Amino acid sequence: MKIYNTITREKEEFVPLNSPHVLYYNCGPTVYDYFHIGNARNFVVADTIRRYLEYRGFKVRFIQNLTDIDDKIIKKAKEEGITAKEVAEKYTAVYFEQTGKLGIRTADMHPKATENIPQMHALIKTLIEKGHAYVVDGDVYFSVRSFPSYGSLSGKNIEDLQEGARVDVDERKKDPLDFALWKAAKPGEPAWESPWGPGRPGWHIECSAMSIAHLGESIDIHSGATDLIFPHHENERAQSEAATGKPFVKYWLHNGFLNINNQKMSKSLGNFFTINQVLERYDPLSVKFFLLSAHYRHPLDYTEENMATAQSASRRILNALETVDKLIKINAVQENSTGLSAPEFAREKWVNFRRVFEDAMDDDFNTAKALSVLHDIVSEIHETRKAVSNAPQDAALLDALKLYRNLLLELLGILGLDPTLASGKVDFNDKIIGELMQILIDIRKLARAKKDFIIADEIRNRLNNISITLEDHPQGTIWKHKK
RNA sequence: GGCGACGUAGCCAAGUGGUAAGGCGGAGGUCUGCAAAACCUCUAUGCAGCGGUUCAAAUCCGCUCGUCGCCUCCA
């Protein structure tokens, strides 16, 4: 399996520090607002990578932090006249509610910055003792000059950065690039006691402290979006390695942006759609199809057309699944059939689909290509379906259908594309509804047999009005709920 | 100004040396009482442009043009 590593700028063979264990940290949200679809891309990508690593047999310990204290939270609290803590609690709940809708699994742990203050103090203390940090008026700064390889993650050097010259001019800092590990409290701001006076943590120190505390001094994967490479991850790396003397992260992964009109979606530009706005228009499955339709490192444009495309594409796969399910039922295939009696050619194709899928995902998580395999399976399902029509008695062909259906479901699951994410509110697997539908279908069948198409069409039209579609197949009539 | 990424059909998007995956959309056809769904066929002699290397280039090299990103909080 190959993974693109930001720090080496090339795809590398993935070899965990202590295989099969994988320690994985994803930079989580700052909980001050609804997250936008661009944030969602990061969460979905990390979740997908986690799932695939597990599928590949790795024992993944996956941690994603919650930044529950920072400038934006304090600002929001002032605007709304509530405490910073209340803001954080509100949007933490929103985070779990919305990611739940998207079928994003919760991490093994979601550490909060405010619950890891002692760990940050310890880290800062070590940095001061080792001469990598210094105290000024209750602030503590990290000295970038004290860490020789500063800049190697982002491919920058200190001199170039200073020529860029847009860094805050603060006379108290030894170097303009030095960044705050601990910020002295200003009046009215939330504050925690510390050896340097009351204050709150700098942004970068949180992730270092929580990663070290909950995963260890050296981990396998640390991920985030590309705008975190500098300064966030650069600073994390510097302070962590300066403190522990050990490599902080083996593989740095960064996902590309979600764009609007070819421009980065961002809160500051105001060109963003929050996740709840998007979910009002599109079902979670379509949203995930869209987010996985391009390689994770490439930019992806959020447009109505692209969303509609993703929706149609996901429908194609759902339709095939539903059709094959109903056909299997009509033909009374053994529920516990293993697919082993499927014809040789079908089993060969099955193996091949899986191989191509794995090759795609093994190549730096190429979900766009992996999705094309799902479509290929759908095509194969339809072809097999046709063969079943021509030879309804051939149980082996039905078994092949089942084989493909199961594979499709499994691969969808690995990508986090559970078909139930697309469903509406009504539980259409409800037994009574199924029986009622069967009654209607049987009555319509009688009408059609008598060529009474007025009644037959009335039934179909009325059902269509409540979003239920009837399809007459050679093997019988099936019904579907359309969204 | 420094560093980096990208430019493949109407749209989206794989493909990093061997002769252009897949999806969406569109056109025609098959099936059907009619539909729906599905299937079949067609939809890039071409990969921003110009040079170069090679038996062979979307893929490697150089230049040009264009777009975007990071350098400041940002997923």
Side-chain angles (χ1 to χ4, degrees):
Chain A
M1 184 186 307
K2 284 196 171 8
I3 296 185
Y4 181 87
N5 194 349
T6 303
I7 199 162
T8 57
R9 287 152 205 272
E10 48 189 41
K11 281 184 199 171
E12 297 175 19
E13 190 60 35
F14 181 61
V15 183
L17 297 167
N18 180 27
S19 195
H21 298 280
V22 172
L23 303 173
Y24 184 176
Y25 187 100
N26 183 235
C27 269
T30 299
V31 282
Y32 72 106
D33 198 356
Y34 279 86
F35 60 86
H36 60 58
I37 180 78
N39 302 111
R41 184 180 191 190
N42 170 255
F43 305 145
V44 167
V45 164
D47 185 50
T48 304
I49 290 173
R50 175 196 191 187
R51 287 169 191 262
Y52 188 68
L53 290 173
E54 287 178 352
Y55 165 74
R56 272 307 206 182
F58 294 107
K59 306 280 180 240
V60 184
R61 179 159 167 79
F62 180 74
I63 286 190
Q64 183 177 293
N65 67 295
L66 290 159
T67 296
D68 61 348
I69 182 64
D70 104 314
D71 290 347
K72 292 188 290 285
I73 293 174
I74 293 170
K75 185 170 170 239
K76 185 92 172 188
K78 276 181 189 156
E79 284 168 11
E80 301 202 347
I82 54 178
T83 65
K85 192 172 182 220
E86 285 167 334
V87 169
E89 280 169 358
K90 177 178 172 187
Y91 291 105
T92 294
V94 165
Y95 170 81
F96 286 113
E97 182 195 327
Q98 301 293 324
T99 51
K101 283 185 195 165
L102 285 168
I104 294 169
R105 289 165 56 199
T106 53
D108 292 312
M109 190 184 196
H110 288 274
K112 294 177 181 175
T114 58
E115 291 173 3
N116 289 268
I117 303 276
Q119 289 86 337
M120 296 180 212
H121 287 344
L123 199 57
I124 295 171
K125 238 169 148 174
T126 304
L127 287 168
I128 294 173
E129 281 163 13
K130 291 194 174 181
H132 291 291
Y134 55 95
V135 185
V136 184
D137 304 334
D139 287 339
V140 183
Y141 292 100
F142 182 86
S143 169
V144 297
R145 296 275 176 188
S146 75
F147 187 69
S149 75
Y150 189 81
S152 63
L153 171 61
S154 54
K156 299 180 187 305
N157 65 64
I158 295 181
E159 277 65 35
D160 287 346
L161 285 167
Q162 288 180 337
E163 278 173 34
R166 288 212 290 152
V167 186
D168 268 354
V169 181
D170 183 340
E171 298 302 327
R172 303 173 312 150
K173 290 201 275 187
K174 288 183 184 169
D175 189 291
L177 295 169
D178 289 352
F179 56 90
L181 298 170
W182 187 258
K183 297 175 172 182
K186 291 176 191 147
E189 282 184 357
W192 286 261
E193 281 308 319
S194 85
W196 317 283
R200 61 193 162 90
W203 177 34
H204 316 298
I205 196 70
E206 302 175 11
C207 286
S208 291
M210 292 189 273
S211 182
I212 291 170
H214 303 296
L215 290 174
E217 294 181 335
S218 293
I219 69 169
D220 296 294
I221 301 176
H222 192 117
S223 61
T226 63
D227 53 355
L228 294 186
I229 297 172
F230 191 91
H232 187 52
H233 288 163
E234 190 71 68
N235 292 353
E236 273 187 51
R237 177 177 173 272
Q239 67 203 178
S240 301
E241 298 195 355
T244 68
K246 293 177 187 159
F248 179 48
V249 170
K250 190 165 183 191
Y251 302 93
W252 289 95
L253 269 63
H254 294 96
N255 63 277
F257 293 131
L258 203 290
N259 290 159
I260 285 195
N261 293 326
N262 206 22
Q263 268 202 323
K264 174 185 176 181
M265 177 184 290
S266 78
K267 289 271 168 77
S268 46
L269 286 173
N271 61 343
F272 62 91
F273 289 94
T274 59
I275 189 62
N276 49 316
Q277 288 174 317
V278 173
L279 289 178
E280 272 169 23
R281 303 213 43 197
Y282 303 97
D283 67 280
L285 188 72
S286 298
V287 173
K288 291 183 96 172
F289 257 87
F290 165 68
L291 292 175
L292 296 178
S293 69
H295 185 95
Y296 77 91
R297 284 191 282 117
H298 292 186
L300 178 60
D301 227 34
Y302 181 81
T303 63
E304 291 289 312
E305 196 181 358
N306 290 349
M307 289 303 297
T309 296
Q311 191 169 43
S312 299
S314 69
R315 289 290 168 273
R316 177 171 186 255
I317 290 171
L318 290 184
N319 262 324
L321 274 175
E322 206 171 340
T323 301
V324 89
D325 266 355
K326 303 253 158 113
L327 288 182
I328 285 172
K329 257 179 207 158
I330 288 172
N331 288 281
V333 174
Q334 294 285 316
E335 256 319 301
N336 56 4
S337 132
T338 55
L340 285 179
S341 62
E344 182 67 26
F345 78 91
R347 279 180 285 151
E348 276 170 15
K349 279 182 173 161
W350 183 87
V351 167
N352 196 50
F353 285 136
R354 185 186 289 281
R355 207 202 69 237
V356 176
F357 177 87
E358 288 175 356
D359 285 349
M361 291 299 285
D362 279 351
D363 184 13
D364 195 28
F365 311 107
N366 191 338
T367 54
K369 190 166 187 189
L371 284 176
S372 79
V373 176
L374 303 188
H375 281 109
D376 289 342
I377 296 174
V378 168
S379 296
E380 193 57 34
I381 281 177
H382 290 312
E383 212 151 293
T384 308
R385 220 191 78 197
K386 212 169 169 185
V388 170
S389 306
N390 296 334
Q393 305 309 319
D394 191 340
L397 280 177
L398 281 163
D399 236 31
L401 265 186
K402 189 153 185 184
L403 200 62
Y404 294 142
R405 194 271 312 254
N406 291 347
L407 179 65
L408 189 51
L409 278 173
E410 185 191 352
L411 301 187
L412 281 166
I414 293 166
L415 295 175
L417 299 169
D418 186 331
T420 61
L421 289 172
S423 66
K425 309 285 175 277
V426 186
D427 180 6
F428 279 84
N429 293 320
D430 184 274
K431 202 170 166 223
I432 296 292
I433 290 178
E435 284 170 9
L436 284 170
M437 284 308 302
Q438 200 50 53
I439 291 170
L440 283 170
I441 287 170
D442 288 345
I443 291 171
R444 180 163 168 275
K445 190 177 172 187
L446 290 173
R448 292 178 74 211
K450 289 190 196 166
K451 303 227 181 284
D452 187 346
F453 298 119
I454 292 173
I455 287 183
D457 288 349
E458 175 74 4
I459 291 173
R460 190 172 62 195
N461 290 338
R462 294 283 290 273
L463 287 172
N464 195 49
N465 288 344
I466 57 168
S467 296
I468 290 171
T469 310
L470 294 187
E471 295 174 10
D472 297 326
H473 291 271
Q475 299 87 353
T477 298
I478 67 176
W479 64 277
K480 289 176 180 172
H481 174 235
K482 65 181 177 197
K483 202 179 139 23

